[in-house]
Amino acid sequence: MVCIVPKLLDNLHLFCVYITGELLKVLNKFYKRKEMQKLAADQGFDARLFHQAFVSFRKFVLEMNALDADLHIILSDICNGAGHVDDIFPYFMRHAKQIFPMLDCMDDLRKISDLRVPVNWYPDARAIQRKIVFHAGPTNSGKTYHAIQRYLEAKSGVYCGPLKLLAHEIFEKSNTAGVPCDLVTGEERTFVDPEGKQSSHVACTIEMCSVTTPYEVAVIDEIQMIKDPSRGWAWTRALLGLCAEEIHVCGEAAAINFITELMYTTGEEVEVHNYTRLTPFSISDKAVENLDNLEPGDCIVCFSKNDIYSVSRQIEIRGLECAVIYGSLPPGTKLAQAKKFNDPDDHCKILVATDAIGMGLNLSIRRIIFNSLVKPNVNEKGEKEMLPLSTSQALQIAGRAGRFSSVFKEGMVTTMHREDLPVLKEILSRPVDPVETAGLHPTAEQIEMFAYHLPEATLSNLLDIFVSLSQVDGLYFVCNIDDFKFLADMIQHIPLHLRSRYVFCTAPINKKQPFVSMCFWPLTPPKNLKDLVHLEAAHDVLDLYLWLSYRFMDMFPDANLIREIQQELDGIIQVGVRNITRLIRATEAQAPSPAPNSKTPGPKPQSPSLRGARVSRAQTSKEEKDRTVNTSLSSRLLQEGLLTPELLQQLQKEWSKDNNYSASFRKGTATKLKKNK
């Protein structure tokens, strides 16, 4: 008996494998039949929906412990040659309607999600004949200046910019010029009238512009961002929907043809003004190669905070002081660091920054130095990938050198590494890729109409269904909604009306840090990098509170108190960033000492032009000078809790892939350059 049981089990296992194999054959035969696909299409299935429904049905059949009796009999008959695969269709439809309840109201849903004519969403704008003026030119060409001059001359106007810093700059410039102007961003409302009455002019972030208020002049800055995978919808909405007699758009010449074509659908002609750069900039024939070769007015551009930390630490080792600017810093801190770098009386003559300097900051830069030519990017599917800089991105950053208003009347651009220089020259020599599509995003009203037909669906499911059914013509695309869905899933358990839920999901939450501890009172300066990162995240949380306070005043009533705390926190972060190299040293001190790298080149004699900019401090030890830029940063971040071992493994894979890609990219480009010669 003991010997018989294992044999029976083996036979039973083989029988189950056989039955599963037969079922797979039957189901796949059903899926491939053109007649079934046509029947499904008649029921409202497109190819993608039919495939999704079939995958779900196949999983249901193969993994269900006990199938319904009628389906079990049908499948058994087919497997035994007593039935036809077409007999599966009613059961397939029954399952499909359970997982896709919208099948019963498909026609209505298709009409709601039809995005082919977004110009009709804005009847107020279509009721007037608008004049469209395109100010086209590179960075530092005066294109925005000319648009703003017309804005200041008008009886009423709205400025729409991509950043809070830009909106704030126009707000101050307008009021300084004697033109009363309000400021409206997601987190801030500033009315210059003491009684709170709205001024005739307003400077706002582009998502906050009103498409119902009439203006004489509207300015839309950085119009090429209409193609942005995440935010492009805001530029589309402003361009199609603003009720202004004149719409002045500013941006790259690569967007002229597309904007002209887009405006053709509204019946409006585009008047183009072309501008050239006001000051020259050139590409250096030599790479910097060593931080000892830095000069006053240099800006080293990195594409990660880790590189920012490492480079600034190495600069300090050489007895120099540098300013630091990166994206997650509060606006006040960025402005303070920019002021420090620009001040001719300050010892700080070097700037280390990410591409956050590309917009919104006036900086006195003589030379841009690219530390890398590969940066992280989020594609249309919301996936993070490492890509070489585009020509548009490289020009946007390089153009910050030698700006018209700075002390340097001529700019220069180069790379840190010798092998990157020919690649940079090749990138900058290419024409900018033309803008070809504009972003769209489901509106709250459209999602509410979907919910009427699908009352049991979650907000995240409503969005998935909307995008899967949406139709756009060749001029548009649906923006990435992953961040929106992330927040929708996060708050699904909270009882909220759909409109409130939708608004919450548009809030500026950092997906990388969805949970932040706010137990840090009283405020104290950061002691290490971990403290600084935490304070930056806390500042974002206070920003979020202010954002919500303007939309749910009863639920978030303490905006004034939060703003006071945020101002104090901004000051504390400024202290931390001013002493960032001390924070890096403190972080290093808490980790095991890294082994010195014998391959690191020793410091060269200091450039005479920088000797006067040396920070007065004790001579740094030789061992500290020999420490490499990249040593043990990962281990320090692990020890500080800023990285998990799993995340580190993922990053190492990405870095390896990035390095391989970068090497092949450089090699391929060098080969191409030789062939061209």
Side-chain angles (χ1 to χ4, degrees), residues 588-603:
E588 288 174 346
Q590 296 169 7
S593 298
N597 188 338
S598 59
K599 293 183 180 180
T600 304

Side-chain angles (χ1 to χ4, degrees), residues 135 141-151 248 273 275:
H135 300 268
S141 61
K143 57 185 183 296
T144 306
Y145 169 82
H146 286 88
I148 293 302
Q149 289 304 111
R150 180 67 189 97
Y151 163 85
H248 291 254
H273 297 177
Y275 302 86

Side-chain angles (χ1 to χ4, degrees), residues 452-575:
Y452 173 79
H453 292 285
L454 305 169
E456 300 302 318
T458 66
L459 177 55
S460 182
N461 288 339
L462 288 172
L463 284 162
D464 278 335
I465 297 168
F466 186 97
V467 172
S468 68
L469 296 178
S470 63
Q471 302 175 70
V472 295
D473 72 10
L475 295 176
Y476 301 98
F477 67 93
V478 178
C479 284
N480 180 271
I481 58 170
D482 284 353
D483 287 353
F484 192 104
K485 285 174 55 186
F486 173 81
L487 296 181
D489 291 334
M490 181 180 284
I491 64 172
Q492 182 56 41
H493 65 286
I494 302 173
L496 290 170
H497 294 298
L498 182 63
R499 178 60 70 104
S500 298
R501 195 178 294 278
Y502 182 98
V503 173
F504 262 100
C505 292
T506 61
I509 291 179
N510 185 350
K511 186 177 174 181
K512 296 177 183 177
Q513 290 184 298
F515 304 103
V516 179
S517 170
M518 297 298 288
C519 303
F520 56 83
W521 196 262
L523 293 172
T524 56
K527 297 181 176 63
N528 50 43
L529 289 179
K530 181 181 178 182
D531 289 350
L532 180 61
V533 170
H534 180 247
L535 291 177
E536 291 168 6
H539 191 279
D540 288 342
V541 172
L542 299 183
D543 254 354
L544 174 62
Y545 186 101
L546 294 174
W547 190 95
L548 292 168
S549 72
Y550 286 110
R551 291 150 182 86
F552 305 99
M553 295 182 182
D554 294 340
M555 299 170 64
F556 300 90
D558 299 315
N560 291 334
L561 176 61
I562 293 298
R563 187 165 282 107
E564 291 176 7
I565 295 173
Q566 192 182 46
Q567 288 175 353
E568 186 176 348
L569 178 57
D570 194 342
I572 294 293
I573 292 173
Q574 289 183 35
V575 172

